[in-house]
Amino acid sequence: FGIHAILVVAVTLSPATAATWSGNDATGENVYPPLWELAPEKVLDFPVKDNKIVIRAWNFQDRLGVYKSLLNASAKYFAAFGPQNSGNILWGLPLQHGWQFRTGRLADPSGVTSCGYENGELLCLSVRSWWSCMNYYLAIIPFLGAVEAGLFGQLPYEIEILPPEERKDDFCYSVKDCWSRMPKLMDDWKAYFEVNNFSSFKLDDALGLMWKAHTNSIAYALPKFQDSLKYLSDPEANFGEDWASGVDFIAATHFSTDLPNTNTFQAFLPQRMLVEGDVIPFINDFSPEQNRVLMSLRALHKANELTGGLLLKLWQKAMSTEEGRKKGRELIESVTSS
């Protein structure tokens, strides 16, 4: 299995590149996720009820607000890495979520409700959506970890996350609740946000902590929502699993998911959900690059499975030094410039 295919996948699988915008010019109005300007700016912009800050985690605008508050609160730590917070390595997360929203992946795939559809509740995030559920662990858990780490200072109220209509036991809803249910994930994200509490920090160390928390969140959520894949077409379900398994490869390089990198590598994922009859790499309305990436994703996932995970271990070993990771990132960048 060629190193080139691994690199293509590595590029594609970062949260940065998961933010494709249907081939839109990244320097134009779509630099930010849809409705970004309407999302709450900080934690205290969310409504307060019964002495609790209430967040509707299954509403697209509120979940964007969670990301926006994280980016704004951590902005001062990334001032040296780019103007207007562009060097913040958290950008990949909301941009990924924006890609999911644009491509219809957050809507109810079972078709039972109007959740997520233009003629229904457009901003609704369906708990039947595999993507929505996986993303919860890359939005709400990081956010509550940041609360615990003191990123937002001393808040005057507790945080309450409103539950979905179904599957309530598969999620947690407050700092205390999440600590009791998934202490390791909370600890991982808390550790990441604590690195930003210093006046200066090493970017590679911060990336290592962020990627560790990111990959552990996916690994935790993946078996929990395996049954949600039944609502998807076979090609889309395969793509979801391929995406999840491949994140580890990009994570090993400590790839920087800042705003410029995100906008550089955003065009490699499919601009719509895959449907029955889509055969990679021959999907007519996808670019050759998108077809190639889907094919590489599938091959990488299968090769890693067939080797019992050895492929990933070899890659991680090669990326175990700062120099190795630098070479890995250079190889990734060379894929898109060639």
Side-chain angles (χ1 to χ4, degrees):
F1 189 78
I3 187 86
H4 181 81
I6 291 177
L7 291 171
V8 170
V9 170
V11 170
T12 310
L13 275 236
S14 71
T17 41
T20 190
W21 291 314
S22 310
N24 289 327
D25 180 3
T27 60
E29 61 181 5
N30 290 321
V31 155
Y32 302 107
L35 306 180
W36 184 250
E37 69 284 357
L38 300 178
E41 300 270 343
K42 54 186 185 295
V43 178
L44 293 177
D45 286 343
F46 288 97
V48 175
K49 184 178 180 182
D50 299 329
N51 284 325
K52 291 183 178 179
I53 296 166
V54 179
I55 297 175
R56 301 169 299 166
W58 298 92
N59 173 278
F60 178 68
Q61 206 163 307
D62 272 26
R63 213 181 277 193
L64 271 191
V66 162
Y67 286 130
K68 202 170 187 179
S69 61
L70 285 172
L71 277 158
N72 287 337
S74 59
K76 59 185 176 182
Y77 304 112
F78 290 91
F81 300 102
Q84 298 180 304
N85 204 21
S86 61
N88 197 318
I89 60 176
L90 288 177
W91 271 114
L93 293 173
L95 291 171
Q96 175 179 17
H97 197 46
W99 164 74
Q100 293 165 348
F101 180 77
R102 283 183 184 278
T103 56
R105 287 179 163 85
L106 305 177
D108 181 358
S110 72
V112 171
T113 71
S114 63
C115 179
Y117 293 97
E118 286 187 24
N119 59 352
E121 304 166 79
L122 179 61
L123 299 183
C124 171
L125 306 178
S126 176
V127 74
R128 294 189 174 202
S129 160
W130 181 84
W131 295 96
S132 289
C133 293
M134 294 294 291
N135 179 265
Y136 191 97
Y137 282 81
L138 294 172
I140 302 305
I141 310 305
F143 173 73
L144 294 175
V147 171
E148 187 72 356
L151 182 69
F152 305 109
Q154 190 67 39
L155 292 172
Y157 310 104
E158 288 183 27
I159 305 278
E160 180 184 13
I161 309 295
L162 297 185
E165 293 183 2
E166 303 173 27
R167 308 193 64 148
K168 292 180 174 64
D169 291 343
D170 288 325
F171 308 96
C172 61
Y173 307 104
S174 67
V175 170
K176 185 178 179 181
D177 184 30
C178 293
W179 269 113
S180 67
R181 293 202 206 189
M182 48 200 75
K184 188 179 186 314
L185 293 188
M186 285 289 285
D187 198 51
D188 285 343
W189 283 108
K190 180 173 179 278
Y192 166 69
F193 286 107
E194 281 176 342
V195 81
N196 297 334
N197 289 334
F198 301 104
S199 57
S200 63
F201 61 93
K202 194 173 179 183
L203 188 60
D204 186 67
D205 292 340
L207 284 161
L209 288 166
M210 186 274 289
W211 278 117
K212 178 187 176 187
H214 185 111
T215 53
N216 285 345
S217 290
I218 290 177
Y220 182 91
L222 198 56
K224 190 179 284 286
F225 302 111
Q226 188 72 23
D227 61 329
S228 296
L229 293 169
K230 69 187 177 191
Y231 295 119
L232 302 174
S233 69
D234 287 344
E236 179 71 14
N238 287 336
F239 166 57
E241 290 189 302
D242 296 343
W243 167 86
S245 72
V247 171
D248 289 322
F249 287 87
I250 180 64
T253 73
H254 292 186
F255 191 84
S256 182
T257 49
D258 58 26
L259 191 63
N261 278 351
T262 298
N263 287 330
T264 299
F265 295 112
Q266 69 180 5
F268 296 98
L269 288 182
Q271 74 272 16
R272 61 164 173 81
M273 293 183 73
L274 276 66
V275 297
E276 300 297 351
D278 280 337
V279 179
I280 55 175
F282 307 110
I283 304 175
N284 291 333
D285 60 333
F286 286 4
S287 69
E289 294 80 12
Q290 287 170 332
N291 271 293
R292 189 164 63 243
V293 157
L294 286 173
M295 184 172 64
S296 299
L297 277 170
R298 180 101 285 242
L300 180 62
H301 185 189
K302 288 300 180 187
N304 199 42
E305 279 187 335
L306 288 170
T307 60
L310 180 62
L311 189 63
L312 176 60
K313 288 176 183 173
L314 290 171
W315 177 255
Q316 288 171 330
K317 187 175 181 181
M319 299 295 110
S320 61
T321 65
E322 198 163 343
E323 184 60 29
R325 291 189 291 274
K326 183 183 177 184
K327 289 180 179 177
R329 292 191 298 271
E330 287 172 354
L331 285 167
I332 286 171
E333 287 157 11
S334 74
V335 172
T336 57
S337 61
S338 61

